Amino acid sequence: MLIGVLALQGAVSEHSGALDSLNISNKEVRNTDDIREVDGLIMPGGESTTLRKLLVNSNLWDFIKESDIPIMGTCAGAILLGKSDDITFEKMDYVIDRNFYGRQIDSFEEKLEIRGYPEFRGVFIRAPAITDIGKTQAIAYCKGNVVGCIEGKNMALTFHPELTGNPYFHKMWIDTLE
Ligand code: GLN
């Protein structure tokens, strides 16, 4: 199995590091030649409007839209996977609000509630919020709100799991691909 990390913006090396720690082969994805080689794609956070433009300019938007490649989207990546007021891939059934926390709460770190798992601190940076989980399955909560969900082989997280050095969510997603 070879996993791609979308390398157009965001914390690319941290996601690669999480995969390395799980001994999962990975490569950076910048164009349609790269993405054809991989079995799944991590879409890191950043800024969803910019990410959308970079995806369109690299022809990756149309490729991803038309393919069934499994995706793990974090933060801005999660905005592009769900349903929102902006144009997204709509590969998952949840509704996401990219401006939910507004500018007052720029970023915060908070313990997550994950069934059967004792401690994971979520790092939220200008985080979006899942306002309706639709047909997806919730996997993580923070203060009672859903902050992570899965649907088939796709996973969306509103926080940054790659910044904590704990590959728990990366492993959970990889396990769905095997
Ligand atoms: N709120 C940002 C957006 O609109 C995402 C922030 C992030 O990815 N850390 O894209």
Side-chain angles (χ1 to χ4, degrees):
M1 180 162 50
L2 179 65
I3 297 298
V5 180
L6 186 67
L8 302 178
Q9 64 163 192
V12 177
S13 60
E14 287 83 353
H15 277 294
S16 305
L19 294 169
D20 289 343
S21 75
L22 296 169
N23 291 316
I24 302 292
S25 304
N26 58 88
K27 72 168 281 171
E28 295 186 358
V29 167
R30 293 193 174 79
N31 54 49
T32 51
D33 287 339
D34 295 335
I35 201 169
R36 274 181 237 277
E37 289 176 40
V38 300
D39 304 300
L41 182 72
I42 294 182
M43 217 184 281
E47 207 284 315
S48 55
T49 309
T50 309
L51 190 53
R52 188 183 300 106
K53 280 187 196 143
L54 295 170
L55 283 162
V56 169
N57 291 347
S58 57
N59 296 322
L60 284 166
W61 184 275
D62 287 342
F63 185 98
I64 292 170
K65 184 85 185 156
E66 283 153 28
S67 92
D68 283 330
I69 187 168
I71 299 178
M72 172 181 179
T74 65
C75 208
I79 295 171
L80 294 185
L81 276 185
K83 297 176 175 172
S84 133
D85 292 340
D86 298 313
I87 297 167
T88 70
F89 291 120
E90 295 199 20
K91 288 190 178 276
M92 295 178 70
D93 196 45
Y94 59 84
V95 178
I96 192 156
D97 181 349
R98 65 178 289 234
N99 295 315
F100 187 80
Y101 293 103
R103 286 184 174 268
Q104 305 92 307
I105 309 175
D106 216 29
S107 55
F108 59 96
E109 198 178 318
E110 189 69 46
K111 188 179 181 312
L112 304 186
E113 298 120 42
I114 309 166
R115 192 179 306 153
Y117 193 78
E119 182 74 41
F120 191 101
R121 294 196 70 77
V123 177
F124 294 82
I125 304 172
R126 296 188 308 283
I130 293 169
T131 52
D132 179 350
I133 68 166
K135 297 192 199 89
T136 70
Q137 184 193 338
I139 53 170
Y141 296 82
C142 183
K143 295 180 172 170
N145 299 312
V146 176
V147 293
C149 61
I150 53 174
E151 186 179 1
K153 294 177 185 233
N154 293 324
M155 175 185 280
L157 307 171
T158 64
F159 55 94
H160 287 262
E162 76 283 7
L163 299 182
T164 45
N166 180 346
Y168 175 79
F169 287 98
H170 292 80
K171 179 167 189 329
M172 192 194 291
W173 177 61
I174 294 292
D175 286 347
T176 70
L177 309 186
E178 287 169 339

